[in-house]
Amino acid sequence: MAFPYMEAVLGFMVLMYVFETYLDLRQHSALKLPTLPKPLVGVISQEKFGKSRAYSLDKSHFNFVHEFVTILLDSAILYFGILPWFWKKSGNFLLLTGLNAENEILHTLAFLAGVMIWSQITDLPFSLYSTFVIEARHGFNKQTIWLFIRDLFKGICLAIALGPPIVSAIILIVQKGGPYLAIYLWAFMFVLSLVMMTLYPVLIAPLFNKFTPLPEGDLREKIEALASSLKFPLKKLFVVDGSTRSSHSNAYMYGFFKNKRIVLYDTLIQQCKNDEEIVAVIAHELGHWKLNHTMYSFIAVQILTFLQFGGYTLVRNSSDLFRSFGFDTQPVLIGLIIFQHTVIPLQHLVSFGLNLVSRSFEFQADAFAKKLGYASALRSGLVKLQEENLSAMNTDPWYSAYHYSHPPLVERLVALDEPDKKTD
């Protein structure tokens, strides 16, 4: 008797939903607490705390509904054999259009086109509600419905332009990879990731946002001086018009080797009136670079990617696995989808481990900025960003450990203050 892979996957999905809902309930209870955590008393205003609490609870209620609908749809798709049914229907569609349904690449692209339409239909109500109800209610949404539709259209066009050649290449590699399939797949994805990291900020990101050089002035001089002191090869310093879509703020770096760039959200500049706070945030980001966090993270992702492809090569020819999910053939894409479902337990463990590493990196980057003399400015900058973004003030430790790649503000402030206490 063949192993019931589909039933096992479905059972684990439900168990994970129950577990994560339990964590969500713990977090919801923490968000309902009427008082600030002790380290934030006198640091965060009661007005901001009240607004943050209301915003976080709104998002929490929304998350309960979204996750319930998601598990319901995903379970139904597996249990009722929607995947094999839709695979057959996409083949029938090709026959109606006069195309060759035996061509796996064409069949896969037809299947993905239907999946994209389905995902847009099911995700759109949640995206609209999140953007134009929750984000708007709390003063964050700056998008018009026209801008929302335009971004949606651009995203679909990008998927249509980039998806087919990438999917076609993967199918050809699997079909002809032989015993070195895992190496070929990893090499392809490695090159693709480098290409996308190069092209995205130059060609794709400008389709959605406007990037302008940071104007001359004290802020620019301070950031350039900091980068120069650390021998960071800063080539360009941009401001992005994040305020056209949201009043949330951020900053990030990108680029390879000697061609690094820093991008500041205009909302970050608006919210942090003190230049020192912005420079402190940049010092934290440069700490990630100086401490090689980005390189370590990239290497970890590549190792995990290779291991995943290695696991896929071991199971891709298992007819029992495909039959358990209702397939009498073994298409490449379907094999990848099924494999992703079967390794969900490992994915959750790996994700948890990566979060722990990421949180450690954040503490190290904070400590790096502190050593540069930005402890006070970073502290006030973190508090300002927490207030302006209405981030959750109270967090459940279990929920935080499982979901957060960044430590909560309370933990970061305590860590920043700790060396001072030891010195005293």
Side-chain angles (χ1 to χ4, degrees):
M1 183 177 177
F3 184 80
Y5 293 102
M6 190 272 287
E7 290 79 2
V9 166
L10 190 56
F12 188 81
M13 285 171 55
V14 173
L15 284 176
M16 286 307 303
Y17 169 73
V18 172
F19 171 68
E20 292 182 349
T21 300
Y22 169 69
L23 294 182
D24 291 340
L25 288 169
R26 289 180 60 99
Q27 175 70 355
H28 193 78
S29 297
L31 296 174
K32 290 170 69 176
L33 293 174
T35 56
L36 280 162
K38 287 183 180 180
L40 298 185
V41 174
V43 176
I44 301 289
S45 69
Q46 285 299 317
E47 179 189 3
K48 287 293 185 181
F49 172 60
K51 291 181 177 179
S52 163
R53 185 168 173 263
Y55 177 51
S56 297
L57 286 171
D58 260 7
K59 291 197 297 180
S60 180
H61 285 121
F62 174 77
N63 180 65
F64 282 122
V65 176
H66 190 202
E67 292 302 312
F68 176 73
V69 173
T70 299
I71 189 65
L72 203 63
L73 289 176
D74 290 349
S75 299
I77 287 172
L78 288 182
Y79 184 77
F80 293 106
I82 303 299
L83 274 180
W85 174 83
F86 198 73
W87 178 261
K88 291 177 181 177
K89 290 297 180 182
S90 59
N92 294 339
F93 173 77
L94 287 176
L95 292 175
L96 289 175
T97 56
L99 297 174
N100 181 14
E102 298 299 319
N103 185 310
E104 187 174 344
I105 291 178
L106 292 178
H107 197 158
T108 300
L109 293 178
F111 175 83
L112 286 176
V115 169
M116 184 172 69
I117 293 171
W118 167 255
S119 64
Q120 291 295 337
I121 292 173
T122 55
D123 289 345
L124 188 59
F126 292 104
S127 296
L128 288 170
Y129 187 85
S130 175
T131 302
F132 293 102
V133 177
I134 294 179
E135 296 294 308
R137 180 185 295 158
H138 297 278
F140 288 116
N141 179 51
K142 304 300 179 184
Q143 288 191 77
T144 62
I145 189 67
W146 164 243
L147 182 57
F148 180 89
I149 294 173
R150 191 173 67 184
D151 282 351
L152 183 65
F153 177 74
K154 288 179 181 178
I156 292 172
C157 289
L158 279 172
I160 293 173
L162 299 177
I166 294 173
V167 171
S168 301
I170 291 173
I171 292 174
L172 289 173
I173 291 171
V174 173
Q175 289 177 340
K176 301 181 182 300
Y180 302 105
L181 172 58
I183 296 175
Y184 295 146
L185 279 175
W186 170 80
F188 172 73
M189 295 306 297
F190 175 75
V191 172
L192 180 63
S193 64
L194 293 181
V195 171
M196 292 305 297
M197 285 194 299
T198 302
L199 295 182
Y200 179 82
V202 178
L203 298 178
I204 299 177
L207 295 175
F208 298 90
N209 289 97
K210 184 179 180 181
F211 293 78
T212 56
L214 179 66
E216 297 291 339
D218 288 344
L219 178 58
R220 185 181 183 94
E221 290 175 3
K222 289 176 181 177
I223 293 175
E224 289 177 339
L226 173 63
S228 177
S229 69
L230 297 173
K231 295 182 171 52
F232 178 76
L234 178 62
K235 294 300 180 183
K236 293 185 179 180
L237 188 52
F238 290 116
V239 178
V240 60
D241 62 339
S243 58
T244 59
R245 290 167 176 79
S246 171
S247 56
H248 289 296
S249 54
N250 202 356
Y252 63 92
M253 301 180 303
Y254 68 93
F256 293 109
F257 307 115
K258 301 295 182 181
N259 189 30
K260 303 288 187 181
R261 305 175 186 193
I262 295 176
V263 177
L264 306 176
Y265 276 59
D266 56 356
T267 47
L268 177 68
I269 298 174
Q270 295 161 11
Q271 292 168 5
C272 295
K273 304 299 183 183
N274 184 342
D275 286 353
E276 286 300 311
E277 293 176 349
I278 300 175
V279 177
V281 172
I282 298 302
H284 167 92
E285 296 301 326
L286 290 175
H288 286 305
W289 169 78
K290 194 71 174 179
L291 298 170
N292 296 315
H293 293 164
T294 304
M295 181 184 70
Y296 294 148
S297 298
F298 183 75
I299 292 173
V301 169
Q302 297 309 313
I303 292 173
L304 291 171
T305 301
F306 179 76
L307 290 175
Q308 280 195 317
F309 286 137
Y312 168 68
T313 59
L314 294 177
V315 303
R316 72 183 187 90
N317 291 321
S318 171
S319 56
D320 287 344
L321 181 64
F322 282 85
R323 276 197 295 268
S324 180
F325 283 84
F327 288 88
D328 50 16
T329 58
Q330 297 173 223
V332 171
L333 177 70
I334 299 302
L336 288 168
I337 293 173
I338 291 175
F339 177 72
Q340 288 299 314
H341 277 88
T342 58
V343 296
I344 285 176
L346 287 176
Q347 287 177 333
H348 283 283
L349 287 174
V350 169
S351 177
F352 176 67
L354 290 177
N355 276 349
L356 293 179
V357 173
S358 175
R359 288 157 72 101
S360 174
F361 284 171
E362 291 303 315
F363 285 124
Q364 291 174 24
D366 283 350
F368 179 85
K370 179 175 173 46
K371 286 181 181 178
L372 294 177
Y374 291 103
S376 178
L378 179 60
R379 195 180 198 283
S380 59
L382 291 174
V383 170
K384 181 67 66 66
L385 293 177
Q386 185 87 0
E387 284 188 320
E388 296 301 325
N389 289 314
L390 299 183
S391 301
M393 307 296 176
N394 288 299
T395 56
D396 176 75
W398 289 20
Y399 180 92
S400 170
Y402 184 77
H403 283 289
Y404 287 2
S405 61
H406 285 51
L409 176 64
V410 170
E411 296 180 24
R412 295 180 72 174
L413 295 185
V414 169
L416 279 171
D417 293 342
E418 208 167 37
D420 293 333
K421 292 178 182 177
K422 289 179 179 178
T423 301
D424 295 341

